[in-house]
Amino acid sequence: MPSTLDAQSAGTTTPSGVRSETRKLGFGRKAAAYVALTKPRVMELLLVTTLPTMIFAQRGFPDLLTMVATMVGGALAAGSSAAFNCYIDRDIDKVMKRTENRPLVTGELTPREALVFSWTIGVVSILILGLGTNLLAAGLGVAAIFFYVVVYSLVLKRRTEQNIVWGGIAGCFPVLIAWAAVRGTVEWPAIVLFLIIFLWTPPHYWPLSLKYKKDYQQAEVPMLGAVASARVVSSQVVLYAWATVACSLLLVPLGWAGIVYTAVAVVAGGWFVYECHVLYARAQRPDYDDKKAMKVFHLSITYLTLVFVALAVDPFVGEPLMPVPGIPA
């Protein structure tokens, strides 16, 4: 039996009244649809963590080829993961207000086009990482795509309220790829950066799930914000925020972090934790509006950006606060 999406690709009208124009799109609109499939905003956030990690690992700027290969390969790997996710989630995207304009819902792309595109840029991304950096970075790229597509999108997302916790691991891989691209191995600072993003993901995403609670409930996706009260969600946000900030400071005793990174991690981290506590306090009120949780969502992006910008600046300003023999200054 043909699905609604198959009907869209043939130019029929969907139950929501959206008529497909898949075969009538001009080049510009078609290209824009493919770009939208990669979730550019998510890709941007991943790249914000990639370049600073490379600079921090190198204690300066890596060679141009390594930087370009890592950034381009990493961007395509992230885009491939996102495109696969759009293909897998096309059935729930069409019933969620937040995702109703994605290309597979509007009919701007067919499922077949999306799948071919996902595989193509995925393979290209691994080739770029392998040829432009090293096999370890390429292998980590494969692991990142596998984790997001299979572990998160196919296995966890529709089965557990902790989906974003473990599924968020995929978003941590860019720092490992960046570190491996520069140093040819994965060392403790890279693990710390990995853990920062891992712990940061829940307090970043759960406020968003509160705002779109009805969307997730309608799609039967058990995001924590859809199955728990704002009180429960906000308490978890506070705990993960504290853990994120504490983890970010581990780079100091490891002998890598200088004054710039340390100062920004403390100040920005304090701000992040404070706003999470404000969310928790407000969530205790019976008239609390779940949409107000978005302040923490937006702040979390600012926090992570500040920390990684500081990471990039740090090697150029002074020495590590707690130098360890054998660590390049």
Side-chain angles (χ1 to χ4, degrees):
M1 179 180 294
S3 67
T4 301
L5 288 167
D6 293 330
Q8 284 182 314
S9 66
T12 61
T13 302
T14 69
S16 62
V18 178
R19 184 171 178 80
S20 170
E21 299 178 14
T22 302
R23 303 186 186 284
K24 301 177 183 178
L25 298 181
F27 175 80
R29 189 172 170 187
K30 195 78 168 182
Y34 278 115
V35 171
L37 206 63
T38 66
K39 302 181 183 178
R41 290 185 179 179
V42 176
M43 187 188 300
E44 288 172 10
L45 191 59
L46 295 177
L47 294 178
V48 162
T49 65
T50 300
L51 183 57
T53 298
M54 297 177 71
I55 295 172
F56 191 71
Q58 183 69 39
R59 309 302 293 176
F61 286 102
D63 67 88
L64 184 60
L65 174 61
T66 301
M67 284 197 296
V68 172
T70 306
M71 297 292 285
V72 174
L76 290 176
S80 172
S81 299
F84 273 119
N85 176 260
C86 287
Y87 173 81
I88 294 165
D89 284 352
R90 64 193 188 279
D91 60 326
I92 61 176
D93 282 348
K94 67 182 179 182
V95 300
M96 294 178 64
K97 199 168 186 178
R98 185 173 71 90
T99 56
E100 63 184 4
N101 291 319
R102 286 181 175 171
L104 286 175
V105 179
T106 62
E108 292 174 304
L109 294 174
T110 66
R112 178 183 175 80
E113 287 173 328
L115 193 58
V116 170
F117 177 71
S118 303
W119 275 106
T120 300
I121 64 172
V123 171
V124 170
S125 73
I126 303 308
L127 289 175
I128 291 174
L129 287 172
L131 297 175
T133 61
N134 54 59
L135 292 180
L136 177 57
L140 290 168
V142 172
I145 296 173
F146 175 84
F147 213 96
Y148 191 75
V149 175
V150 178
V151 178
Y152 173 64
S153 299
L154 289 175
V155 178
L156 295 174
K157 185 172 182 177
R158 308 187 193 208
R159 289 179 172 84
T160 172
E161 65 186 36
Q162 296 296 309
N163 46 23
I164 202 64
V165 176
W166 303 109
I169 289 176
C172 307
F173 273 94
V175 295
L176 297 185
I177 294 170
W179 196 278
V182 170
R183 298 178 66 85
T185 186
V186 173
E187 299 165 287
W188 277 110
I191 302 297
V192 170
L193 295 174
F194 179 97
L195 290 174
I196 291 171
I197 300 173
F198 172 73
L199 295 168
W200 166 87
T201 301
H204 164 66
Y205 200 88
W206 280 339
L208 181 74
S209 71
L210 276 176
K211 178 181 179 180
Y212 292 102
K213 174 181 290 189
K214 291 183 180 179
D215 262 8
Y216 286 116
Q217 289 174 341
Q218 185 173 347
E220 298 182 350
V221 177
M223 289 292 177
L224 186 65
V227 299
S229 67
R231 294 183 181 185
V232 172
V233 174
S234 61
S235 66
Q236 292 295 305
V237 165
V238 167
L239 292 174
Y240 273 98
W242 272 105
T244 301
V245 175
C247 184
S248 72
L249 296 175
L250 290 177
L251 288 176
V252 179
L254 282 176
W256 282 80
I259 186 63
V260 172
Y261 173 83
T262 305
V264 172
V266 169
V267 175
W271 180 32
F272 183 35
V273 168
Y274 170 76
E275 289 295 344
C276 290
H277 275 281
V278 170
L279 171 64
Y280 175 76
R282 290 176 177 171
Q284 308 311 305
R285 303 172 187 171
D287 60 342
Y288 178 71
D289 182 357
D290 286 338
K291 293 182 180 180
K292 292 182 178 179
M294 287 298 288
K295 182 177 182 180
V296 171
F297 169 80
H298 293 299
L299 171 62
S300 68
I301 297 174
T302 303
Y303 162 74
L304 194 71
T305 301
L306 288 173
V307 168
F308 274 85
V309 167
L311 194 76
V313 173
D314 196 72
F316 302 102
V317 183
E319 304 292 332
L321 293 180
M322 298 176 64
V324 175
I327 299 296

